[in-house]
Amino acid sequence: MYYKHFGRTDSAEFMYYLRKPAELEWLHQSRHVAALAEQFSDDTLAGYVVISESVTGEPICLHIDTQAIYTFTKKPVGKHLLFHSFNDFLLVELIQLKKQVCEFDFESMEEEYRFVDTVVDNSDISQELRHEKLYKK
C-alpha cells in the first residue's frame, strides 16, 4: 500500500533507507547472505524480503507470511523483531518525520517510547534496538 499510495522512496526526510520496488530482493539471495549463513539456514532466510537497511548496513526485512519487520544483526547477534507489521513501521516513520518538523517534542526517549506504545503494538519489541538500528546515526 505504501508504494501504491505514496510512491516516492527517495526523500531524505521520509523512510530514507526504504528500497524502491525494483530494488527489493529475497534475503537468501542478497549480499547479506554470506554474513548470515553461519547462523541461519537458507530455508529460514528464504521467507524474508530485504526492504531496507539499518543505518549500519544490516538488512531490514519483511517476513512474507506474517508481514512482520525484522532485522538480522551481528550486534546483538540474531534475528530481531522491529515491527509487527509494515503499517506499524509506517506509523513510527511518520512520528519520526513529525519530530523533524517540530510537531512532536519529547522530553526524553522514555516519553517518546511511551507515546509510540500508544500508537503501535510494541509487545516483544525492543524500542531501544529499533531506534539504534533505524534512527541513531
Side-chain angles (χ1 to χ4, degrees):
M1 292 298 288
Y2 169 81
Y3 293 110
K4 182 177 178 183
H5 295 289
F6 298 99
R8 292 180 52 92
T9 60
D10 55 352
S11 169
E13 303 292 319
F14 185 62
M15 300 185 97
Y16 183 74
Y17 296 101
L18 187 67
R19 291 183 176 186
K20 296 177 182 179
E23 298 169 346
L24 298 177
E25 61 184 334
W26 291 103
L27 180 59
H28 72 284
Q29 296 173 338
S30 73
R31 67 179 179 84
H32 300 285
V33 74
L36 300 173
E38 292 177 17
Q39 298 174 334
F40 303 99
S41 69
D42 280 348
D43 289 341
T44 299
L45 300 177
Y48 296 87
V49 173
V50 180
I51 62 168
S52 179
E53 289 186 0
S54 71
V55 294
T56 56
E58 296 162 326
I60 306 297
C61 303
L62 174 75
H63 187 274
I64 288 300
D65 295 331
T66 67
Q67 303 298 298
I69 308 290
Y70 290 87
T71 187
F72 292 80
T73 66
K74 294 178 185 173
K75 188 177 181 181
V77 174
K79 175 180 84 170
H80 307 281
L81 180 64
L82 295 177
F83 299 93
H84 288 283
S85 70
F86 188 82
N87 287 341
D88 285 354
F89 181 35
L90 185 59
L91 287 169
V92 172
E93 286 291 327
L94 288 169
I95 290 168
Q96 294 300 317
L97 178 63
K98 284 180 161 276
K99 281 175 46 182
Q100 289 180 13
V101 295
C102 301
E103 289 188 35
F104 284 127
D105 187 21
F106 300 106
E107 297 289 323
S108 66
M109 289 304 295
E110 290 77 23
E111 181 183 356
E112 180 179 343
Y113 294 160
R114 281 192 305 274
F115 178 78
V116 170
D117 275 338
T118 67
V119 180
V120 300
D121 177 6
N122 278 321
S123 56
D124 303 322
I125 293 175
S126 167
Q127 287 195 64
E128 292 85 3
L129 178 70
R130 177 194 295 157
H131 188 267
E132 177 184 326
K133 297 301 177 183
L134 296 178
Y135 308 111
K136 189 176 179 181
K137 294 181 181 184

